[in-house]
């Protein structure tokens, strides 16, 4: 598809365009209320819009904008040693995971994505309470495992955050280091998906649009947090994720 054809698709599909904006904005508010999970909440709403097989490629583009802005904002805080530790095995593993994704049928994608969404609820609680301490060797191995999962999934940020905290990365350095790793892996996924025709220009533009529309949601969430009791928003988000996982299972 040419650039002109892709823009023509968006122009002649105003309903889909508005729906994409609404989905991105709403999902970013939900994610902002709990402080995490844009990559988890968006796929729940995107599957009916772009189809289950296109969710991960579209999310790769959308999250690139989200993470890229953090790289720019926190550039001086990046801890490059840990970036190298995670990416030395994580980058090739991510490419392998992304390639594996291109081989899956829609049923398998729905099953795996639904399972990951369910597991993420439990995993977040476990990692939040765990006192992990990684050596350099463990960090390298964890980087490989994370890279593979990240290649074929979305919403893996909680895993990466926990890994970085386990080697002593905290505060603004945590935000910065997480962002540059995520951007690097995101670019690798986009290149691979584009090479295997899983990500065309139409889907890439949709991803860019979704990424842009997530930005205002954070400001709305900040205002809403002042009026919502602590903990309620996290529970609500988990319910949405579980409902989304069940909906994905129903497609198998």
């Amino acid at each position: 598809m040419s650039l002109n054809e892709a823009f023509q698709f968006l122009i002649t599909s105003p309903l889909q365009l508005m729906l994409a904006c609404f989905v991105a904005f709403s999902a970013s508010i939900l994610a902002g209320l709990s402080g995490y999970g844009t990559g988890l909440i968006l796929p729940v709403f995107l599957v009916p819009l772009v189809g289950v097989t296109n969710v991960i490629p579209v999310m790769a583009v959308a999250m690139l904008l989200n993470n890229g802005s953090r790289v720019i904002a926190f550039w001086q805080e990046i801890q490059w040693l840990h970036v190298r530790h995670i990416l030395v095995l994580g980058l090739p593993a991510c490419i392998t995971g992304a390639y594996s994704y291109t081989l899956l049928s829609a049923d398998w994608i729905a099953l795996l994505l639904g399972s990951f969404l369910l597991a993420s609820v439990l995993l977040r609680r476990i990692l939040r309470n765990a006192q992990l301490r990684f050596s350099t060797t463990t960090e390298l191995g964890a980087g490989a495992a994370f890279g593979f999962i990240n290649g074929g999934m979305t919403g893996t940020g909680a895993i990466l955050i926990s890994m970085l905290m386990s080697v002593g990365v905290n505060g603004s350095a945590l935000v910065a280091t997480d962002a540059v790793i995520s951007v690097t892996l995101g670019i690798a996924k986009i290149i691979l998906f584009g090479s295997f025709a899983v990500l065309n220009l139409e889907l890439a533009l949709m991803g860019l649009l979704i990424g842009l529309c997530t930005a205002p949601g954070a400001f709305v969430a900040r205002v809403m947090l002042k009026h919502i009791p602590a903990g309620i928003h996290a529970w609500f988000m988990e319910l949405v994720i579980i409902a989304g996982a069940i909906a994905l299972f129903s497609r198998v």
Side-chain angles (χ1 to χ4, degrees):
M1 173 180 288
S2 67
L3 181 60
N4 182 61
E5 289 173 329
F7 276 117
Q8 190 65 32
F9 168 80
L10 294 178
I11 292 172
T12 57
S13 304
L15 182 60
Q16 187 168 7
L17 190 63
M18 289 187 292
L19 187 56
C21 293
F22 176 75
V23 163
F25 178 66
S26 302
S28 66
I29 293 175
L30 291 175
L33 289 175
S34 65
Y36 82 103
T38 303
L40 288 172
I41 203 74
L42 264 176
V44 173
F45 297 96
L46 283 180
V47 166
L49 182 62
V50 301
V52 67
T53 57
N54 295 324
V55 165
I56 303 301
V58 170
M59 283 298 301
V61 176
M63 295 306 293
L64 192 63
L65 293 179
N66 184 283
N67 291 315
S69 62
R70 290 189 292 137
V71 170
I72 296 172
F74 294 93
W75 178 262
Q76 294 183 340
E77 304 294 332
I78 297 171
Q79 295 199 7
W80 292 105
L81 175 63
H82 296 295
V83 171
R84 291 193 294 270
H85 284 174
I86 297 297
L87 291 181
V88 65
L89 296 179
L91 183 56
C94 175
I95 294 171
T96 303
Y99 174 71
S100 299
Y101 176 88
T102 67
L103 303 178
L104 297 175
S105 66
D107 286 347
W108 271 106
I109 292 173
L111 180 62
L112 290 175
L113 184 56
S115 299
F116 183 77
L117 289 177
L118 282 181
S120 69
V121 175
L122 178 61
L123 184 63
R124 184 183 72 89
R125 294 175 177 271
I126 293 174
L127 293 176
R128 183 179 58 189
N129 299 320
Q131 299 295 322
L132 301 176
R133 291 293 180 269
F134 284 175
S135 64
T136 299
T137 302
T138 306
E139 185 181 12
L140 292 170
F146 168 76
F148 184 80
I149 296 172
N150 179 270
M153 283 292 127
T154 183
T156 57
I159 300 175
L160 180 56
I161 289 292
S162 298
M163 288 167 51
L164 291 172
M165 291 178 67
S166 72
V167 292
V169 183
N170 291 287
S172 58
L174 178 64
V175 175
T177 306
D178 167 79
V180 75
I181 292 171
S182 298
V183 164
T184 304
L185 296 181
I187 291 173
K189 290 166 66 173
I190 290 171
I191 292 173
L192 187 136
F193 288 145
S195 299
F196 284 86
V198 178
L199 178 66
N200 57 29
L201 197 51
E202 174 190 319
L203 292 175
L205 288 173
M206 184 69 74
L208 287 172
L209 176 67
I210 289 168
L212 290 172
C213 290
T214 58
F219 297 96
V220 176
R222 185 174 63 182
V223 175
M224 293 177 64
L225 278 172
K226 298 178 181 178
H227 306 286
I228 300 177
I232 296 297
H233 40 80
W235 279 99
F236 179 70
M237 180 172 173
E238 289 183 350
L239 288 175
V240 172
I241 291 173
I242 292 171
I246 294 172
L248 282 166
F249 289 145
S250 69
R251 293 173 172 267
V252 178

